[in-house]
Amino acid sequence: MKMKLGRGCVALLAGMVGLPAWGAMLVGSVNLTPGSSEDLTADGPVDWAIWDYQSGTAGTSGAPSNRKSGGSAIGSVTAALGTPRGITGTVPASTFSYTNGTSPVSATNVLIGAITDTSINVANSGIKFNVTGNPGAVEGVKVIVSGFNAVGTFTATLNGAPVYTDSSASYAATRRPVSYTLQFQPDSAADVLQISYTISTLNTGGNSNVDLQAVAVSVPEPVSMGSVGLAGAMLLGRRRARA
């Protein structure tokens, strides 16, 4: 019996066994009820960043308030319509922990703020940022967002790959976290992963906004030698079939 692999599976297997994949790859999923705590050091061995802005100050640079020491894959935030600004107060749990930050170096189970757009209560307002990937490996990206009196639309684009988009998170007058997980691999280092989170619908209550809290970049879990052998055999079989 012949096994036919989808393009995303081939790219993922290729990254696991160190072989080149065919074309860019991007897949995603959403978790509307993430866990009560996030360990950024564990979630982001490549890079992680948080935006713990709680003063509501307009004109924020969009740079992370803290990030993995030496990390560089995650870019600063820009606003979709206005300029970046903090929210007022914190977002209810999830809480965040880390041990390899820049300043401060560590934190344990803390509530943090978020970053949003000065253009509140306006459709299509929100945040944007980029993640630089590795053409030689599949990487994972976890994005923690929240919102207030709005329906948020999460969009991820990568040159040469299908767009991932989701609008399943609808917020009332209490912020709550929502988690998105992406797997991606660019054709070249110049092809960055572009992510946005914007308002698609205004809910009742006013002051509608959507926000970003944290991003973590990881690599796939190691696979067993047996799995590597099977993956390699399937990839080589696909190559012969395409020859």
Side-chain angles (χ1 to χ4, degrees):
M1 181 178 70
K2 293 183 178 180
M3 180 180 293
K4 185 176 181 181
L5 298 177
R7 185 179 183 183
C9 293
V10 172
L12 182 58
L13 290 169
M16 288 178 176
V17 300
L19 297 172
W22 291 283
M25 170 262 208
L26 173 61
V27 294
S29 61
V30 60
N31 184 351
L32 297 176
T33 55
S36 60
S37 62
E38 299 284 346
D39 184 340
L40 294 172
T41 298
D43 288 346
V46 175
D47 196 11
W48 60 262
I50 60 173
W51 286 263
D52 186 15
Y53 291 105
Q54 303 173 39
S55 67
T57 303
T60 298
S61 69
S65 58
N66 200 3
R67 70 180 312 151
K68 179 181 182 290
S69 179
S72 61
I74 302 165
S76 294
V77 163
T78 60
L81 295 181
T83 57
R85 65 178 288 268
I87 65 168
T88 301
T90 60
V91 177
S94 301
T95 61
F96 294 86
S97 301
Y98 51 86
T99 58
N100 58 345
T102 301
S103 180
V105 172
S106 64
T108 302
N109 294 331
V110 295
L111 293 173
I112 67 172
I115 194 166
T116 187
D117 191 328
T118 51
S119 297
I120 62 172
N121 219 40
V122 180
N124 300 317
S125 67
I127 54 88
K128 302 184 291 182
F129 66 96
N130 295 335
V131 177
T132 302
N134 180 358
V138 176
E139 293 181 311
V141 180
K142 177 182 277 190
V143 183
I144 309 296
V145 296
S146 67
F148 187 85
N149 287 338
V151 176
T153 293
F154 181 94
T155 305
T157 60
L158 181 67
N159 185 39
V163 174
Y164 172 77
T165 188
D166 176 81
S167 300
S168 58
S170 180
Y171 305 96
T174 300
R175 286 188 171 85
R176 60 184 177 85
V178 170
S179 174
Y180 285 92
T181 301
L182 304 169
Q183 296 280 335
F184 83 110
Q185 184 175 16
D187 276 332
S188 74
D191 293 333
V192 297
L193 176 65
Q194 300 177 349
I195 297 173
S196 67
Y197 197 49
T198 58
I199 295 175
S200 60
T201 304
L202 305 177
N203 287 340
T204 57
N207 293 323
S208 301
N209 58 86
V210 291
D211 326 306
L212 173 67
Q213 285 197 287
V215 181
V217 183
S218 62
V219 293
E221 290 294 323
V223 295
S224 68
M225 291 307 296
S227 298
V228 169
L230 176 60
M234 288 189 290
L235 286 166
L236 290 174
R238 180 175 171 88
R239 286 176 174 173
R240 292 192 185 103
R242 290 167 62 96

